[in-house]
């Protein structure tokens, strides 16, 4: 420890960012050049949501050409931007993180950056880009021979994200296996956040199928995990999902009670994506409870946020709800206008081109996966044949050794037998000579 302190102080002598009084606790990472994402995340957890400190850390990493540190910092900057729905800034930061990860050839960091880019494009309803990023992340993570904890979670994130894309494209039968595969990994690694996310997603599949009891069961299970990890944003998502089911069950007052508090929770969090979600659902619940004016106000607020950040799904749903509200008010011309906007926004990502692209991508991925499995089986077969050949050689060598040892024992046995026979003959000859001694002749 004294040696490490001495090294740190020596390096700090030429360090331009921090003064002697401002040496941060996490500078040890720069000195040690840690390459493990989980341990870096543990050390930098206190500053990862602090833009000023992250910028200082970036400068430190640049001074010492610490690529893993740069990759981590830019990924965190991207998350901070994504969490306030600043998607251009998030994409720029994640791209820098990806570049640094590739520069140091660290697969874990590269897969995280690819997944995060996929999530941003998915939120922007840029389906092709999202699919490409998540597919590349999944292929890279699964091809790695090092199955680290971070690597396993990367696979889980990629599968969950691909499942969400399938849901966006109205393909729940393709989404469910992805969520179940993700759950298996999250259970293995003990990641409650991942379990909360996947059960929430599975609930949405059952909701789409109108199996509302199964939907509620999964949403409540997700909410339980979010309560265990004290995730406010998780509560916002789950309470809105449960509220949506209540609305479909005509339990309008219960829906309003569970959805209304989520607006303040989303505002406190600052993520405009979930604020748009909460206001949209609150408007829906108010509409079903007969408060059309307040309903329209919240939905218009949701629409404004969604249009500013190009969130197509919420734009589509807001237009649909505004159409229904105006129809209830007797404003049929406005209702028709909103209905047309709803149809146009739906076509933006539910089009034949995206569907075909998805089908082609699935086919290609399945084909690549089969080729990889065949290649693995061929290698395993080759190894088995080599082992069999080695076993045959060992058996042959053993048999020869046994034959040689048996032959040696036989030769020794024969020599011993011949020696005894020779000794016996010598005794017989001696007895015969003794009988012919003249002293015994009468």
């Amino acid at each position: 420890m004294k040696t490490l302190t001495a090294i740190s102080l020596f390096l700090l002598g030429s360090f331009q960012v921090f003064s002697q009084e401002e040496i941060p606790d996490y500078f040890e990472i720069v000195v040690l050049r840690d390459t493990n994402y989980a341990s870096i995340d543990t050390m930098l957890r206190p500053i990862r949501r602090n833009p000023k400190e992250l910028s200082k850390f970036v400068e430190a990493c640049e001074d010492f050409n610490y690529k893993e540190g740069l990759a981590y910092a830019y990924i965190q900057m991207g998350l901070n931007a994504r969490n306030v729905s600043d998607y251009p800034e998030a994409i720029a930061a994640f791209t820098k993180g990806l570049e640094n990860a590739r520069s140091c050839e660290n697969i874990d960091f590269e897969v995280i950056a690819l997944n995060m880019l996929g999530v941003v494009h998915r939120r922007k309803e840029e389906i092709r880009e999202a699919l490409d990023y998540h597919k590349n992340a999944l292929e890279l993570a699964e091809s790695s021979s090092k199955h680290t904890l971070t690597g396993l979670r990367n696979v889980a994130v990629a599968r969950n994200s691909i499942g969400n894309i399938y849901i966006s494209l109205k393909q729940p039968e393709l989404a469910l296996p992805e969520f179940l595969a993700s759950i298996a990994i999250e259970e293995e690694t003990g990641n409650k956040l991942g379990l909360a996310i996947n059960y929430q997603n599975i609930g949405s599949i059952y909701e789409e199928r109108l199996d509302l009891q199964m939907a509620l069961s999964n949403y409540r299970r997700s909410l339980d995990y979010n309560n265990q990890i004290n995730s406010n944003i998780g509560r916002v998502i789950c309470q809105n999902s449960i509220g949506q089911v209540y609305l479909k069950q005509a339990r309008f007052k219960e829906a309003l009670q569970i959805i209304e508090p989520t607006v303040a929770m989303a505002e406190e969090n600052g993520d405009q994506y979930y604020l748009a979600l909460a206001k949209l659902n609150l408007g829906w619940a108010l509409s079903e409870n007969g408060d059309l004016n307040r309903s329209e106000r919240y939905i218009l607020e949701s629409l404004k946020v969604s249009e500013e950040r190009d969130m197509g799904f919420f734009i589509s749903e807001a237009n649909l709800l505004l159409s229904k509200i105006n129809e209830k008010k007797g404003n049929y011309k406005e209702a028709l206008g909103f209905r047309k906007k709803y149809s146009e926004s739906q076509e933006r990502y539910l089009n034949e081109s995206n569907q075909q692209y998805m089908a082609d991508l699935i086919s290609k991925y399945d084909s690549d996966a089969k080729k990889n499995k065949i290649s693995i089986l061929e290698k395993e077969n080759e190894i088995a044949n080599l082992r069999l050949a080695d076993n045959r050689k060992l058996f042959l060598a053993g048999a020869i050794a046994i034959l040689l040892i048996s032959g040696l024992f036989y030769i020794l046995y024969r020599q011993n037998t011949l020696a005894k026979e020779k000794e016996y003959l010598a005794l017989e000859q001696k007895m015969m000579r003794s009988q012919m001694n003249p002293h015994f002749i009468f």
Side-chain angles (χ1 to χ4, degrees):
M1 190 64 192
K2 289 182 179 178
T3 303
L4 177 59
T5 303
I7 293 171
S8 299
L9 291 172
F10 173 77
L11 289 173
L12 283 168
S14 61
F15 195 67
Q16 301 297 315
V17 180
F18 303 103
S19 69
Q20 290 294 327
E21 293 78 17
E22 296 174 329
I23 299 171
D25 294 337
Y26 56 76
F27 186 67
E28 183 179 338
I29 289 176
V30 181
V31 177
L32 296 177
R33 305 184 73 81
D34 199 337
T35 61
N36 183 276
Y37 183 90
S39 60
I40 294 173
D41 185 62
T42 299
M43 181 66 77
L44 296 182
R45 188 171 291 270
I47 71 160
R48 64 181 184 174
R49 298 295 171 258
N50 186 323
K52 184 178 178 181
E53 291 299 317
L54 270 180
S55 296
K56 287 183 179 180
F57 181 71
V58 166
E59 291 183 50
C61 293
E62 286 175 343
D63 281 350
F64 292 100
N65 196 33
Y66 177 33
K67 297 296 184 180
E68 282 88 356
L70 286 169
Y72 177 87
Y74 283 122
I75 287 170
Q76 296 307 314
M77 288 177 175
L79 286 169
N80 292 339
R82 188 201 71 187
N83 290 344
V84 293
S85 305
D86 187 351
Y87 299 136
E89 183 64 29
I91 289 173
F94 287 139
T95 301
K96 286 182 180 179
L98 179 61
E99 290 168 356
N100 281 281
R102 285 174 172 168
S103 177
C104 62
E105 298 181 352
N106 190 309
I107 289 179
D108 282 348
F109 284 86
E110 185 175 349
V111 173
I112 290 170
L114 287 168
N115 271 328
M116 294 303 100
L117 282 163
V119 170
V120 173
H121 285 287
R122 175 161 55 85
R123 282 197 181 187
K124 288 166 62 64
E125 278 86 36
E126 295 170 350
I127 301 302
R128 293 191 179 196
E129 292 85 350
L131 267 173
D132 285 340
Y133 279 119
H134 288 308
K135 180 184 73 70
N136 291 337
L138 183 59
E139 288 178 351
L140 186 60
E142 290 184 333
S143 69
S144 174
S145 58
K146 292 171 64 180
H147 298 293
T148 63
L149 176 64
T150 301
L152 286 171
R153 288 184 175 173
N154 283 339
V155 173
V157 170
R159 289 204 170 278
N160 172 271
S161 296
I162 290 171
N164 272 291
I165 291 170
Y166 290 154
I167 286 179
S168 298
L169 295 172
K170 308 298 182 185
Q171 300 287 339
E173 70 283 354
L174 296 174
L176 186 57
E178 299 296 337
F179 295 142
L180 292 174
S182 183
I183 281 175
I185 296 170
E186 302 294 18
E187 286 179 339
E188 180 184 347
T189 60
N191 185 13
K192 291 182 179 180
L193 174 60
L195 290 169
I197 292 169
N198 279 287
Y199 281 114
Q200 154 70 26
N201 295 144
I202 289 175
S204 70
I205 291 176
Y206 285 110
E207 184 181 350
E208 183 70 21
R209 293 175 178 174
L210 297 180
D211 188 344
L212 301 182
Q213 284 306 121
M214 280 297 293
L216 276 177
S217 175
N218 281 279
Y219 288 148
R220 286 168 176 161
R221 191 168 185 178
S222 176
L223 181 59
D224 179 56
Y225 279 119
N226 280 306
N227 285 331
Q228 289 180 44
I229 60 176
N230 195 29
S231 171
N232 267 335
I233 203 65
R235 293 186 187 102
V236 169
I237 297 167
C238 290
Q239 287 179 216
N240 272 276
S241 296
I242 292 170
Q244 287 174 188
V245 173
Y246 287 165
L247 288 167
K248 292 177 181 179
Q249 293 177 326
R251 298 161 65 179
F252 302 135
K253 288 184 178 179
E254 291 174 82
L256 184 59
Q257 287 172 354
I258 199 169
I259 291 171
E260 193 163 16
T262 66
V263 172
M265 293 162 65
E267 285 175 338
E268 182 181 356
N269 178 267
D271 192 327
Q272 300 301 299
Y273 183 88
Y274 295 112
L275 182 59
L277 167 70
K279 287 188 173 183
L280 184 69
N281 281 329
L282 178 55
W284 181 10
L286 288 167
S287 171
E288 296 295 351
N289 279 279
D291 193 342
L292 298 183
N293 291 329
R294 284 185 67 209
S295 169
E296 187 172 24
R297 190 187 86 209
Y298 277 110
I299 294 171
L300 285 170
E301 288 177 6
S302 175
L303 180 60
K304 183 175 182 292
V305 171
S306 301
E307 287 178 337
E308 286 173 352
R309 288 160 179 79
D310 198 25
M311 295 186 287
F313 176 77
F314 294 145
I315 292 171
S316 173
E317 293 300 306
N319 281 313
L320 178 60
L321 287 171
L322 288 168
S323 174
K324 292 180 178 179
I325 289 171
N326 277 279
E327 188 177 351
K328 289 179 180 178
K329 286 183 172 183
N331 301 327
Y332 300 113
K333 184 177 179 180
E334 288 82 355
L336 180 59
F338 282 119
R339 177 70 68 166
K340 285 181 179 179
K341 289 180 181 179
Y342 163 74
S343 299
E344 289 168 1
S345 55
Q346 281 280 298
E347 289 175 4
R348 176 177 174 183
Y349 56 93
L350 294 178
N351 56 57
E352 185 177 344
S353 175
N354 276 341
Q355 296 281 2
Q356 184 59 49
Y357 181 75
M358 182 192 68
D360 292 342
L361 202 59
I362 294 168
S363 176
K364 181 180 181 299
Y365 178 75
D366 288 345
S367 176
D368 289 345
K370 287 175 183 177
K371 286 178 182 177
N372 289 335
K373 286 182 180 178
I374 290 170
S375 177
I376 291 169
L377 289 173
E378 286 176 347
K379 287 179 181 178
E380 288 178 349
N381 188 49
E382 184 180 346
I383 292 169
N385 287 334
L386 289 171
R387 285 177 178 169
L388 183 60
D390 289 341
N391 289 338
R392 286 173 179 169
K393 289 177 183 177
L394 286 171
F395 177 77
L396 182 60
I400 292 171
I402 291 170
L403 286 173
L404 289 172
I405 293 169
S406 299
L408 180 62
F409 276 117
Y410 179 73
I411 290 169
L412 292 172
Y413 171 75
R414 287 294 299 156
Q415 286 179 345
N416 186 50
T417 303
L418 290 172
K420 286 182 178 180
E421 288 178 355
K422 186 176 180 181
E423 186 179 346
Y424 179 72
L425 288 172
L427 287 171
E428 283 188 340
Q429 288 176 356
K430 189 175 182 181
M431 288 178 64
M432 290 179 65
R433 288 194 194 100
S434 65
Q435 288 175 359
M436 296 175 64
N437 195 311
H439 297 285
F440 294 100
I441 297 175
F442 294 99

